[in-house]
Amino acid sequence: MDHKWILKFIDHRIADVNIHRLISRFLKSGILENGEYKDTVVGAPQGGNISPIIGNLYLHHALDLWFEKVIRKKCRGDAYMVRYADDSVFCFQYEDEAYRFYHELKVRLAKFNLEIQEAKTKIIKFGRFAVDECMKAGIKKPETFDFLGFTHYCSKGKNGRFRVKRKTSKKKYNASLKKAKAWLWEQLTTPARDVMEKLAVKMNGYYRYYGITDNSTMISRFRDEVRSMLYKMFNRRSQKKSMMWDKYALFLKRFPLAKAKIYVSIFDLNKPFSYMM
């Protein structure tokens, strides 16, 4: 991010010179790498308190407004954009417009000293007609894409109509299991009651995020994996006395694991977001 652009974007909303001065100082505050101080010529200090806000402000002007005011207006078909922080998904009705936008996006971002991560960027056929087009091309099924920890894929609802479905991405699923395992091994000397109380909070937090329509299989699988890891952890507490599975089952009746639950229904989305269903 270019500092001059950041201050220019802030000027659209805030005229107070004192605020400008404070933000300017923050941008130039520098960073420490291996104990060595380095000036920040561009961008915002990583981990800074207002860095996420500045990043969103920067992309709002450099990307969001441009897509809404320029790109959508010159598309002959539907065009949508979904962005969270620096992660974005762009949807186009026509393939040629998607490729044209991809080229224009590179030019637009370069203007603001930004660039696309080529390894994480791709154009795929996706949507209600993607299945038929893939079959004609000799491809078994449309590609999927990951966004915000979910793998999005083409499928059908109970009524037989096309619907976008989501499941926990493999990368995030494995990362969550790794974190759960590491945390459980840290609890070897913690009283069982305390372990279960803390674990319930963590599991419910996981369900609150990943518990979305069509993802019940993945969150249930995660619960089963945690239950197995918990069993192994309890058996590591003593080399002489092991907890047999039947005793473990009785223990879980007394201190049950939080049940996998769907908390977010895509059918409760407002009408403007129906294209995401």
Side-chain angles (χ1 to χ4, degrees):
M1 294 184 290
D2 193 317
H3 290 178
K4 69 176 183 179
W5 282 112
I6 295 175
L7 296 174
K8 185 176 180 180
F9 294 151
I10 291 172
D11 191 45
H12 280 286
R13 295 278 183 172
I14 303 173
D16 192 329
V17 293
N18 294 312
I19 298 296
H20 280 243
R21 188 182 301 113
L22 285 171
I23 293 175
S24 181
R25 287 178 180 177
F26 170 80
L27 294 172
K28 298 175 182 178
S29 61
I31 58 173
L32 282 175
E33 284 189 2
N34 300 321
E36 183 182 351
Y37 173 82
K38 293 183 179 180
D39 291 326
T40 48
V41 182
V42 294
Q46 190 171 7
N49 293 334
I50 64 172
S51 292
I53 299 174
I54 290 176
N56 267 316
L57 176 67
Y58 199 85
L59 287 174
H60 174 70
H61 286 272
L63 185 60
D64 302 353
L65 293 178
W66 171 68
F67 185 86
E68 185 66 28
K69 303 295 183 180
V70 179
I71 298 300
R72 289 194 69 182
K73 287 186 176 181
K74 64 182 182 181
C75 286
R76 67 183 188 280
D78 292 333
Y80 301 100
M81 170 188 173
V82 181
R83 181 177 69 81
Y84 183 85
D86 60 347
D87 202 358
S88 306
V89 174
F90 302 94
C91 310
F92 294 90
Q93 183 175 353
Y94 297 109
E95 184 177 355
D96 63 308
E97 292 184 338
Y99 279 98
R100 185 183 68 193
F101 167 74
Y102 183 63
H103 172 72
E104 292 180 359
L105 178 62
K106 290 182 179 180
V107 177
R108 175 69 177 182
L109 293 180
K111 178 181 178 181
F112 297 94
N113 290 333
L114 299 173
E115 59 183 17
I116 293 174
Q117 282 190 297
E118 298 284 354
K120 296 182 178 180
T121 306
K122 61 180 179 179
I123 298 177
I124 64 172
K125 292 182 182 294
F126 197 89
R128 65 184 65 189
F129 304 116
V131 176
D132 293 335
E133 291 181 12
C134 286
M135 288 181 66
K136 291 178 181 178
I139 303 172
K140 291 184 178 180
K141 56 184 179 180
E143 290 185 72
T144 64
F145 68 91
D146 291 351
F147 185 57
L148 302 183
F150 293 94
T151 296
H152 296 64
Y153 60 99
C154 297
S155 188
K156 293 181 179 180
K158 293 181 180 179
N159 57 7
R161 295 180 180 178
F162 168 80
R163 183 153 65 80
V164 177
K165 291 188 177 182
R166 300 159 186 84
K167 62 181 180 180
T168 311
S169 70
K170 186 177 180 180
K171 180 181 178 181
K172 293 297 184 181
Y173 180 80
N174 291 333
S176 296
L177 284 179
K178 188 176 180 180
K179 287 182 181 179
K181 184 177 181 180
W183 181 82
L184 286 172
W185 290 128
E186 292 173 358
Q187 312 306 312
L188 283 174
T189 58
T190 305
R193 180 190 294 271
D194 293 343
V195 172
M196 298 308 292
E197 287 179 356
K198 293 176 182 178
L199 184 58
V201 174
K202 293 180 178 294
M203 295 291 285
N204 280 320
Y206 183 87
Y207 301 146
R208 288 279 180 178
Y209 186 83
Y210 289 104
I212 189 172
T213 305
D214 304 316
N215 199 34
S216 57
T217 299
M218 291 298 292
I219 60 175
S220 296
R221 186 183 300 174
F222 181 79
R223 182 180 184 274
D224 292 341
E225 291 277 8
V226 171
R227 182 177 60 182
S228 297
M229 289 191 290
L230 183 65
Y231 175 66
K232 293 177 182 178
M233 186 272 285
F234 280 135
N235 276 291
R236 282 293 183 93
R237 290 188 169 212
S238 174
Q239 295 179 350
K240 296 181 179 180
K241 195 174 182 180
S242 298
M243 179 187 284
M244 302 304 290
W245 188 264
D246 55 347
K247 186 178 178 181
Y248 179 57
L250 290 173
F251 172 80
L252 289 180
K253 283 186 177 181
R254 186 179 179 186
F255 303 103
L257 274 176
K259 292 184 178 180
K261 181 180 177 181
I262 298 298
Y263 282 94
V264 180
S265 171
I266 63 169
F267 301 106
D268 292 336
L269 290 173
N270 293 327
K271 191 174 181 181
F273 299 100
S274 61
Y275 67 91
M276 296 177 63
M277 297 168 60

